[in-house]
Amino acid sequence: MLTKARALAAGQLAKAAGVNLETIRYYETIGLMPAPPRTPGGHRVYDDVHVRRLAFIRRGRELGFSLEEVRALLILNDPRQGSCAEVKDIAAMHLTEVRRKLADLTRLESILAASVASCTSEPLASCPVLDMLEL
Amino acid sequence: MLTKARALAAGQLAKAAGVNLETIRYYETIGLMPAPPRTPGGHRVYDDVHVRRLAFIRRGRELGFSLEEVRALLILNDPRQGSCAEVKDIAAMHLTEVRRKLADLTRLESILAASVASCTSEPLASCPVLDMLEL
DNA sequence: CTTGATCCCGTAGTGGCTACGGGAGGCAAA
DNA sequence: TTTGCCTCCCGTAGCCACTACGGGATCAAG
């Protein structure tokens, strides 16, 4: 006997995947999550397939992929069609973007740190933070 | 004779400060930029004070301050009232946030880099990027 | 006076959710 | 069975910081 896929209510799925209930509904409206079957009363009923898909999405989001990138990755992942190169392209593109942001933030950090550090907290006439912005 | 503040049209101000025209109008509607005088025909007329203020805002934004933080900094900067400590608080808070993002992105970068690097581009059955998301 | 660039304004759209609110479903204890 | 309470339903609006669109008015140069 195969283990039956257990049925989950929306809130349970949310908890299982670490996502807000409203977020699931949102993913459904934009077509990222499939519309699940319902109880006679209209409540959504999910199973393990949904849990895995939602977890996939959440991990993608945590790695900074946009929802559209996640959408593309989901298609490539199911049923692992297309080429690995396509996946690599998306990830590499994203990596480039991450590195760009990293460089920006690093520069930012040193500027802010320097100006905050040289802030003597007393007269506002020559505040290094404001001076930086003033010119 | 003092040098007269030269009058600028909206587009010229935009160019001078490196900001979009629409962005200036947006800043005006949210009260970040003052409503300037107008020509009889209704076109906005700016001067050097506006240029400096807009440049201040733009630099603040480049350093990642939110518009509300910029708004607070503008008040403290003009006419340099309040304490330097207030400015420092805003900047230090922002610096903390920048460092948090920096840490996140650094972690992200190594995960993505590793999984992209180990991508052999051939069979999709075991794609390291997808595997990472799949579980 | 005509031409062509600029500027006007209001509105709607972007991404990725989150919040709100009133009503209905579901389930367990009494 | 009734009561109570939690969960879920749906649609809509809001968040941030702009950006885009479009049709009409104005401006400066020739």
Side-chain angles (χ1 to χ4, degrees), chain A:
Chain A
M1 223 187 268
L2 288 174
T3 306
K4 261 224 179 93
R6 63 215 159 112
L8 298 173
Q12 294 174 310
L13 172 62
K15 217 165 283 178
V19 173
N20 269 2
L21 185 54
E22 292 92 343
T23 305
I24 297 176
R25 286 208 306 120
Y26 172 67
Y27 287 168
E28 188 179 320
T29 65
I30 64 168
L32 210 56
M33 285 291 287
R38 306 275 188 131
T39 66
H43 286 206
R44 290 171 179 82
V45 180
Y46 297 97
D47 65 19
D48 291 343
V49 176
H50 297 103
V51 175
R52 280 198 297 278
R53 189 177 176 96
L54 186 52
F56 185 102
I57 297 170
R58 209 214 48 192
R59 278 190 287 270
R61 295 290 299 136
E62 279 173 0
L63 292 175
F65 288 101
S66 71
L67 288 182
E68 287 317 301
E69 287 171 328
V70 169
R71 194 193 294 277
L73 291 171
L74 277 165
I75 292 170
L76 292 168
N77 190 44
D78 164 61
R80 296 246 172 175
Q81 63 199 358
S83 74
C84 186
E86 291 178 88
V87 175
K88 191 175 181 174
D89 278 355
I90 296 173
M93 199 104 85
H94 180 52
L95 181 54
T96 300
E97 185 64 15
V98 166
R99 284 181 171 149
R100 206 188 48 72
K101 284 185 189 159
L102 209 43
D104 283 356
L105 276 186
T106 303
R107 213 167 28 79
L108 224 73
E109 196 273 345
S110 68
I111 295 172
L112 282 173
S115 103
V116 167
S118 64
C119 202
T120 55
S121 280
E122 281 307 323
L124 199 56
S126 69
C127 175
V129 176
L130 290 181
D131 287 348
M132 172 184 53
L133 294 166
E134 195 48 273
L135 183 106

